[in-house]
Amino acid sequence: PLSRQAGDNDDYNGADKFLDEAAKLYPNLPEIAVTRSDIERQQAARRRQEKDIGDITASVDAALKRDRFGDAEQLVQSGAKRYPNYKGWGELEKRVADAKKAADNKPDRQDQQNAAKIRDLLGAVKQAIAQGKLNEAEAPLKQAEQLAPNAPDVRAARADFDKQKAAAADKANADRIVVLIGQARAAMAKNDLAAAETALVAAEKLDAKAPAVVATRVDLDKAKKNAGDQQASGEKVRALLAATRRDAAAGKFAEAEVSLKQAEQLQPNSAEVKNARVEVLSAFGLDRIVRQARRRRIGGADKGGDAACRDIFQGRGGKVTRVPRVDRGVFIAIVSRVDP
């Protein structure tokens, strides 16, 4: 019994010792041989069990290394059914559970690859922004957003990109406004108010509240008002000069003088008005010369026609201060400056 008890406790050396002592005391006792045979079979079965459990444990470890937690759990369960008396199954089950939990809290390989790719993409975005190449930053930023749209670093990169893009757009608009205002001012200087309006409207679409745009709008509106006033004044002057010429041609010099003076008040520096003054003086001088000639009162250039001719030539801006004769050439010059 002592040898069997030792064998049940896996103490096979102790069991052999007990059997050897029993054989010395009872060398021919059959039970000793039977017991020895049973213990040897028991020891052999024990060795097979240890080997099987060792193989199972090795398979479980291999499955855990490959993150095949389901396979590892099935191996443990199968071993526990086959060798229910083995006390190491609980510890092996704990190893599987711990490995599975660690894997759940650890990014998988794909996530790690994505994280590395996102870092590279965001690095490219940052470099492109630093170099002012916003067009080159857009593509890698969109790729990063597709991989991890809610990642804090990706959202921060998007915010920075949008800020830089807005700043670049503002600068581009400001530069464009400078060009458009320059075009508007140049057109105003040439009195091309239509071209100035076109350029200014384009600038107002970019930023109607920009100081330069507001100031140019004020100046252009003033120029347009002045142009309208000048146009109205010009139309009135042309009407007055037409009346002046009609009255002068009809010999109504008093009426012609009234219309001409009104035109001179409106546009005193107008070349057309100055020409009209010379024409009226010419017509008036011609009328006096003709009337005096008809009345046989003109005897020379120093009489009736002399003052009128002097006014005519001096009104033309010439240096003539005295006309010694009123001959045919003088009449031709006078008549050629009078409207029909």
Side-chain angles (χ1 to χ4, degrees):
L2 293 175
S3 61
R4 289 186 181 277
Q5 184 178 359
D8 292 339
N9 292 327
D10 297 331
D11 185 8
Y12 299 107
N13 291 331
D16 287 339
K17 185 178 179 181
F18 287 132
L19 289 174
D20 289 342
E21 291 178 357
K24 290 178 181 180
L25 294 174
Y26 305 101
N28 298 318
L29 185 65
E31 291 181 0
I32 295 175
V34 173
T35 302
R36 188 181 296 279
S37 178
D38 290 342
I39 290 176
E40 288 177 353
R41 285 195 300 272
Q42 183 179 355
Q43 185 178 11
R46 181 64 178 177
R47 288 172 180 169
R48 287 194 299 272
Q49 175 179 325
E50 289 177 352
K51 183 180 182 304
D52 289 345
I53 293 175
D55 292 342
I56 292 172
T57 302
S59 298
V60 169
D61 290 338
L64 293 179
K65 288 181 180 179
R66 297 193 301 271
D67 294 337
R68 309 218 18 182
F69 305 108
D71 293 345
E73 290 174 343
Q74 289 180 359
L75 286 169
V76 174
Q77 292 172 3
S78 176
K81 289 181 180 179
R82 186 174 180 181
Y83 303 109
N85 296 326
Y86 176 62
K87 298 179 179 180
W89 298 124
E91 180 63 25
L92 197 55
E93 287 178 350
K94 185 176 183 303
R95 284 173 55 189
V96 174
D98 291 343
K100 186 177 181 181
K101 182 178 180 181
D104 291 339
N105 296 328
K106 174 182 170 182
D108 59 20
R109 188 173 182 182
Q110 184 64 41
D111 290 341
Q112 292 176 347
Q113 291 177 348
N114 288 344
K117 186 173 183 179
I118 289 171
R119 284 194 298 270
D120 293 340
L121 290 170
L122 295 183
V125 172
K126 185 176 181 180
Q127 182 178 1
I129 291 176
Q131 295 175 351
K133 300 177 180 179
L134 297 180
N135 291 336
E136 296 182 9
E138 181 80 19
L141 178 56
K142 287 184 176 180
Q143 292 179 28
E145 287 175 329
Q146 290 177 351
L147 293 173
N150 296 320
D153 50 351
V154 174
R155 297 178 67 178
R158 167 56 69 181
D160 185 35
F161 174 81
D162 290 344
K163 180 179 178 181
Q164 295 296 332
K165 188 174 182 179
D170 290 342
K171 185 179 183 304
N173 286 345
D175 293 343
R176 179 59 179 162
I177 286 173
V178 170
V179 173
L180 291 170
I181 292 301
Q183 293 176 352
R185 292 286 183 184
M188 290 168 61
K190 297 178 182 179
N191 203 32
D192 189 353
L193 301 185
E197 179 71 18
T198 299
L200 183 55
V201 167
E204 287 174 332
K205 290 180 179 179
L206 296 175
D207 187 358
K209 296 182 179 180
V213 175
V214 173
T216 304
R217 169 54 66 190
V218 172
D219 293 342
L220 179 56
D221 289 345
K222 186 184 297 185
K224 290 166 70 175
K225 183 178 183 302
N226 292 338
D229 294 342
Q230 290 177 1
Q231 182 178 3
S233 175
E235 292 176 355
K236 186 172 183 180
V237 166
R238 284 191 290 274
L240 289 170
L241 293 182
T244 297
R245 290 188 174 99
R246 285 196 302 271
D247 291 338
K252 300 178 181 180
F253 295 105
E255 291 84 345
E257 183 67 17
V258 172
S259 300
L260 182 56
K261 283 185 176 181
Q262 291 180 10
E264 288 174 333
Q265 290 176 353
L266 292 173
Q267 294 183 0
N269 298 319
S270 170
E272 189 176 2
V273 173
K274 289 180 180 180
N275 289 337
R277 168 57 67 184
V278 173
E279 292 172 5
V280 170
L281 288 174
S282 299
F284 180 69
L286 177 61
D287 182 76
R288 286 188 63 186
I289 291 172
V290 172
R291 287 179 184 277
Q292 290 177 5
R294 287 176 179 175
R295 296 175 183 176
R296 298 175 181 270
R297 294 176 61 186
I298 181 167
D302 58 338
K303 293 186 179 181
D306 184 63
C309 288
R310 187 181 300 113
D311 289 340
I312 292 169
F313 284 101
Q314 288 177 344
R316 285 294 185 182
K319 296 180 180 180
V320 179
T321 58
R322 185 174 182 276
V323 181
R325 295 180 60 190
V326 181
D327 56 13
R328 184 170 178 272
V330 175
F331 275 100
I332 293 174
I334 293 172
V335 172
S336 66
R337 289 170 173 79
V338 179
D339 288 343

